[in-house]
């Protein structure tokens, strides 16, 4: 990292205001698959590492079509349907795609679909999709 925004802590009040308790589990993929790694239909089961407890923001991004095209769809019966993106803003840059995030307060589970590092601020934004347990 050549340059990092040194004044991030001056703006940290918003990070601290939005943070909440989450549990993060990273998928394990460093072993050779065996029969017990598959369910009865032959679908691979994901193996996960130990749970890491963090306190970081999970936010819902609702941008309008002026700033981000494609966030509204026309409903068949008329009207529009807004689409929102769940995002996890983290100080940790090393979680891979497929990482599970459990929000303790709401009891919701998400999985990391992709991520965008912000090297200047020292943050990583992870884009989440909802999953069932």
């Amino acid at each position: 990292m050549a340059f990092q925004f040194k004044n991030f802590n001056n703006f940290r009040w918003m990070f601290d205001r939005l943070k909440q308790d989450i549990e993060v589990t990273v998928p394990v993929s460093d072993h050779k698959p065996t029969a017990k790694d598959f369910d009865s239909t032959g679908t691979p089961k994901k193996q996960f590492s130990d749970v890491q407890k963090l306190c970081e923001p999970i936010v819902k991004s609702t941008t309008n079509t002026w700033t981000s095209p494609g966030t509204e769809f026309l409903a068949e019966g008329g009207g529009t349907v807004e689409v929102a993106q769940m995002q996890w803003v983290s100080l940790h840059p090393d979680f891979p795609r497929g990482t599970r995030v459990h929000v303790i307060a709401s009891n919701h589970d998400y999985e990391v679909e992709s991520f965008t590092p912000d090297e200047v601020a020292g943050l990583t934004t992870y884009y989440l999709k909802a999953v069932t347990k």
Side-chain angles (χ1 to χ4, degrees):
M1 226 185 271
F3 174 78
Q4 188 168 6
F5 185 56
K6 299 296 182 193
N7 289 327
F8 175 69
N9 285 332
N10 291 339
F11 303 101
R12 192 175 177 112
W13 61 273
M14 187 54 96
F15 186 90
D16 290 341
R17 184 174 178 198
L18 294 172
K19 70 183 180 183
Q20 55 188 309
D21 292 326
I22 59 175
E23 295 176 341
V24 179
T25 34
V26 179
V28 176
S29 60
D30 60 354
H31 73 285
K32 185 176 179 183
T34 62
K36 64 182 176 183
D37 293 326
F38 298 89
D39 65 12
S40 60
T41 63
T43 305
K45 294 188 230 175
K46 282 192 177 174
Q47 302 290 330
F48 290 97
S49 67
D50 294 333
V51 174
Q52 297 179 38
K53 295 182 184 276
L54 299 175
C55 192
E56 295 183 329
I58 302 278
V59 295
K60 181 174 158 183
S61 171
T62 53
T63 57
N64 62 34
T65 55
W66 293 102
T67 60
S68 182
T71 58
E72 282 189 359
F73 295 98
L74 294 176
E76 188 175 318
T80 59
V81 177
E82 287 190 22
V83 178
Q85 174 74 50
M86 295 302 289
Q87 298 173 351
W88 163 30
V89 181
S90 179
L91 295 168
H92 305 277
D94 51 357
F95 291 111
R97 186 171 190 240
T99 298
R100 287 279 178 117
V101 179
H102 175 73
V103 181
I104 295 171
S106 64
N107 202 28
H108 287 107
D109 290 309
Y110 300 97
E111 189 172 288
V112 172
E113 275 290 298
S114 63
F115 58 91
T116 304
D118 184 349
E119 294 179 5
V120 175
L123 298 171
T124 301
T125 301
Y126 295 94
Y127 301 96
L128 308 173
K129 71 174 182 178
V131 294
T132 57
K133 286 188 176 184

